[in-house]
Amino acid sequence: MKRVQLPASNPTLKDGFVPPLSRRALFKAAGAIALLQAIPAWARKGAGAPFSFSSVPLSEQADTVVVPPGYRWRVMAAWGDRLDGSGAGMPGNASHSAAEQAALFGMHHDGCALFTAADLPDRGLWVTNHEYLDDGLLHRDGTAGWSAEKVAKAQAAVGVSVCHVQKRAEGGWVVVPGPLARRVTATTPCGVSGPAAGHALLQTAADPTGERILGTFANCAMGVTPWGTYLTCEENFDRYFYKSGKPSAAEARIGLDDKGLFRWHEHDTRFDAGNNPDEFHRFGWVVEVDPHDVNAPPVKRTALGRFKHESATVKLARDGRVVVYSGDDQKGEYIYKFVSRDLYDARLKVGRAHWGRLLDEGTLHVARIRDDGVWYGDGEWVPLVWGQNGLTPEKGFADQAAVLVHARMAADAVGATPMDRPEWIAAHPSSGEVYVSLTNNSERGKKVAVNGANPRPNNAMGHILRILEQDNDAGATSFRWSVFVNAGDPEAKAPEHRGNVNGDWFGSPDGLWFDPRGILWTQTDVSADKLGQGPYARMTNNMMFACDTETGEFRRFLIGPKGCEITGVAMSPDLRTLFINIQHPGESPTERLDPARPTAISSWPDPAFGRPRSASICIWREDGAEVGV
Ligand code: FEO
Ligand code: CA
Ligand code: CA
Ligand code: CA
């Protein structure tokens, strides 16, 4: 394959910067532990050394989870399970009520994280998002007799779940009872902070203060802060709203239409944007959840901008400012980076000392990539600051809140670079490299011109972009970039679908996460209407790969059940357990199953249950050694 050589300034381990975190802060979140462990663990593996596991063969596509020989897996928390680990709280025919659903794990698990304490490494808090809904599966008779009760049940099945988990002797983890277990749903009271808090654009008849929002939903990928909180992202929130007639330019820019896919507006006027235009502005944010305080309301951090957020990957700048990378997952949308004004101070206690400080004051930037016609080039992070770069009242931006609420339009105005659907963003644990999965874009070359960083027209297979921050510093205002890999099947009929993957081929990369050793875990989300067809003829199930970014090798680690996507990934502090989410097993091409035949495509994980269920699973080695190496 053609390997891209970065310039000589490509960082090496000796350039690695380990941020000044206190031990207490460090051990608060497993994600933050990565920062300390990065160098020794990587050294053990040895840069460029081959993975020790054997690749799962492509032929192993079945209605189950397949892992390499010597590995085991088990379901930890499935849709409808009780939060105390006592098993399913819903029947297999999904006849449970909205009130019952509100106390159970939601559906369609996505981003996730494990939080552990230093002195209790085998216990922790498991936090997982619930991204969206299949109403054919959620209700016993699907959408028949659509009612307020069905809307309430849908609103109870989205959001975030927090539960306690514990390692068992054999290596797997299970959900256990504990005081911090809770559900955050589409009706949970949330706070709002940052420049748009209380602004007229966020004020509604039900909340004239503009500071108290009911719920979060469309929660896709995520981030973990060094102070031990969880960032959940609101992605395709527009699909829950409805507006009859023509939306305004700003509403249309972020997807409001008269389809009302989830039909919430029919029984909850909050979602009728014709009557409640500002409720629509109260979603599309990054929301901070403190899993260590069951009474703490989630807070929408408006300084990070409003768009279809996928991932909120946190890194510390060289000087200690907090950096949050976020993609906007839609065809031709942008990559953003927030940089805090203040420094992360490891001497402060974790949690509330930082709560409401670092993510409320700072600058949101958008990536502008210089398309100079070469394979790698330059880029800059353009600040989205009111009064600068044409973001003025004359151009329709009355103040900074307007810039943030209408972040896409602000990014348009400063000439941001349209990308092929930015999904997850992974920051290398010790270098300044940042990897962005660009899942696919059928409109590239049609509605959106090809550019250097999005080089393939009708990009059906997707690619991964590598960003190298200037001076290896996440706080930099400029960067260099290269296309790390063009995904594809080397045996595909069309040359543009073959890609240049070194090792096991894949398409539609979505989940992307560096473990503390620098292994880039890559997960696919080929949509149900594309699996097994066209360029995906040889791929009927979604998969997960380990990638060594030194050699560029991708190796197939896992194949999921029928009709699922693989998304979300975390590890235990000892790196001996890997956690992922299996989202929407059995999904049909319409994304809505026939309630009379819910197991038509998949009955995973339990054929006797009666319905397929999304689930968090854990994976470990029979010999108890580290996963992946
Ligand atoms: Fe929710 Fe962009 O995946
Ligand atoms: Ca995704
Ligand atoms: Ca996706
Ligand atoms: Ca999906």
Side-chain angles (χ1 to χ4, degrees):
M1 75 173 257
K2 180 174 179 182
R3 285 283 299 144
V4 179
Q5 294 299 315
L6 277 172
S9 62
N10 191 18
T12 58
L13 259 187
K14 64 180 164 42
D15 303 311
F17 170 66
V18 180
L21 296 175
S22 73
R23 283 184 63 79
R24 179 164 179 190
L26 205 55
F27 286 123
K28 195 72 178 176
I33 288 170
L35 298 165
L36 185 69
Q37 293 181 334
I39 290 173
W42 175 271
R44 277 202 304 280
K45 176 176 177 290
F51 300 113
S52 64
F53 67 89
S54 1
S55 167
V56 175
L58 202 57
S59 57
E60 298 278 317
Q61 298 179 84
D63 192 26
T64 189
V65 173
V66 184
V67 290
Y71 281 81
R72 297 184 62 187
W73 63 271
R74 75 182 307 281
V75 170
M76 194 169 73
W79 163 47
D81 278 354
R82 296 187 192 91
L83 298 183
D84 64 1
S86 62
M90 65 170 272
N93 68 0
S95 62
H96 58 306
S97 68
E100 287 167 327
Q101 177 59 61
L104 304 171
F105 281 96
M107 74 191 318
H108 286 28
H109 303 36
D110 204 285
C112 51
L114 176 71
F115 294 81
T116 55
D119 51 345
L120 290 169
D122 291 343
R123 302 181 69 106
L125 291 170
W126 178 248
V127 187
T128 187
N129 291 340
H130 302 290
E131 186 189 2
Y132 66 104
L133 298 158
D134 182 335
D135 285 308
L137 198 59
L138 178 65
H139 314 286
R140 185 182 56 78
D141 54 354
T143 55
W146 192 244
S147 64
E149 167 71 9
K150 288 191 173 180
V151 170
K153 188 175 176 184
Q155 292 177 346
V158 294
V160 179
S161 293
V162 181
C163 67
H164 293 255
V165 289
Q166 187 171 338
K167 190 176 184 177
R168 294 201 307 195
E170 103 286 2
W173 289 59
V174 291
V175 177
V176 293
L180 300 179
R182 69 162 153 163
R183 284 299 321 284
V184 173
T185 71
T187 55
T188 302
C190 297
V192 194
S193 69
H199 191 275
L201 286 168
L202 270 67
Q203 294 170 2
T204 64
D207 172 30
T209 67
E211 293 179 340
R212 186 173 179 274
I213 296 174
L214 291 182
T216 180
F217 49 84
N219 304 90
C220 204
M222 42 58 71
V224 172
T225 67
W227 53 94
T229 61
Y230 181 80
L231 303 177
T232 185
C233 295
E234 297 177 338
E235 192 197 22
N236 294 309
F237 66 96
D238 55 309
R239 297 175 190 176
Y240 299 81
F241 286 88
Y242 164 88
K243 184 175 184 179
S244 67
K246 195 171 156 53
S248 70
E251 289 168 341
R253 184 68 187 81
I254 201 157
L256 185 61
D257 60 26
D258 60 0
K259 295 192 177 71
L261 181 68
F262 290 107
R263 299 177 62 183
W264 288 8
H265 64 282
E266 294 178 26
H267 295 282
D268 187 344
T269 56
R270 191 153 73 97
F271 297 95
D272 182 343
N275 289 323
N276 283 308
D278 292 317
E279 187 70 15
F280 187 60
H281 298 145
R282 291 148 61 98
F283 297 87
W285 303 105
V286 171
V287 187
E288 187 169 14
V289 177
D290 185 352
H292 300 94
D293 183 350
V294 72
N295 297 313
V299 177
K300 306 208 175 194
R301 300 292 182 197
T302 65
L304 277 64
R306 173 174 166 268
F307 46 91
K308 296 184 184 179
H309 281 277
E310 174 114 8
S311 78
T313 305
V314 181
K315 191 103 196 270
L316 291 182
R318 198 176 288 267
D319 61 7
R321 286 174 296 161
V322 176
V323 176
V324 186
Y325 294 96
S326 206
D328 184 351
D329 181 9
Q330 197 164 324
K331 294 167 185 171
E333 292 301 334
Y334 310 127
I335 300 169
Y336 296 80
K337 178 172 98 170
F338 169 84
V339 182
S340 69
R341 182 193 65 188
D342 297 336
L343 307 185
Y344 174 68
D345 185 347
R347 291 167 305 180
L348 293 176
K349 292 190 169 101
V350 295
R352 290 309 171 77
H354 293 93
W355 185 266
R357 187 172 68 91
L358 291 172
L359 298 183
D360 290 340
E361 299 277 0
T363 304
L364 182 67
H365 303 76
V366 68
R368 189 160 63 195
I369 293 172
R370 189 159 67 86
D371 189 8
D372 48 11
V374 296
W375 193 240
Y376 63 83
D378 301 324
E380 58 188 315
W381 295 108
V382 184
L384 299 179
V385 174
W386 183 69
Q388 298 180 18
N389 296 315
L391 303 177
T392 59
E394 300 75 53
K395 294 283 173 61
F397 298 99
D399 50 27
Q400 183 62 19
V403 168
L404 295 167
V405 168
H406 304 303
R408 281 186 171 183
M409 297 173 96
D412 294 342
V414 304
T417 301
M419 308 300 292
D420 287 347
R421 294 187 52 200
E423 296 245 29
W424 286 54
I425 299 177
H428 191 278
S430 55
S431 80
E433 287 184 353
V434 178
Y435 292 69
V436 185
S437 60
L438 299 155
T439 196
N440 55 55
N441 185 356
S442 57
E443 292 175 355
R444 180 64 65 183
K446 299 172 196 160
K447 288 188 185 170
V448 192
V450 168
N451 59 41
N454 301 272
R456 289 189 293 183
N458 187 22
N459 183 10
M461 306 304 276
H463 60 290
I464 298 175
L465 188 79
R466 172 162 54 186
I467 287 172
L468 176 61
E469 294 280 24
Q470 182 69 40
D471 299 326
N472 210 14
D473 181 3
T477 55
S478 63
F479 58 88
R480 279 186 281 184
W481 57 269
S482 68
V483 174
F484 177 63
V485 64
N486 280 311
D489 178 356
E491 294 183 16
K493 288 200 186 88
E496 68 268 26
H497 295 152
R498 290 176 196 157
N500 60 356
V501 182
N502 173 12
D504 294 326
W505 71 271
F506 62 92
S508 296
D510 187 338
L512 203 62
W513 181 75
F514 272 111
D515 77 20
R517 302 161 300 190
I519 295 177
L520 182 65
W521 296 95
T522 305
Q523 304 170 317
T524 71
D525 178 19
V526 182
S527 55
D529 62 342
K530 304 268 188 325
L531 282 168
Q533 318 213 17
Y536 290 102
R538 297 204 299 153
M539 193 170 163
T540 61
N541 295 32
N542 277 298
M543 305 173 177
M544 173 162 158
F545 301 78
C547 173
D548 181 340
T549 56
E550 295 280 311
T551 64
E553 183 197 350
F554 285 83
R555 191 173 293 194
R556 191 179 298 105
F557 178 79
L558 175 146
I559 301 180
K562 296 285 176 194
C564 80
E565 77 170 86
I566 310 296
T567 184
V569 48
M571 287 185 97
S572 59
D574 63 6
L575 308 174
R576 290 161 204 272
T577 312
L578 180 74
F579 303 88
I580 64 164
N581 280 328
I582 303 291
Q583 187 188 106
H584 62 65
E587 185 165 79
S588 72
T590 62
E591 298 187 0
R592 193 165 280 171
L593 277 166
D594 176 355
R597 301 171 61 238
T599 57
I601 296 162
S602 171
S603 56
W604 190 89
D606 179 3
F609 188 76
R611 290 196 177 217
R613 298 194 290 161
S614 297
S616 301
I617 70 169
C618 55
I619 302 163
W620 69 98
R621 272 169 71 155
E622 285 167 358
D623 66 5
E626 284 184 23
V627 170
V629 294

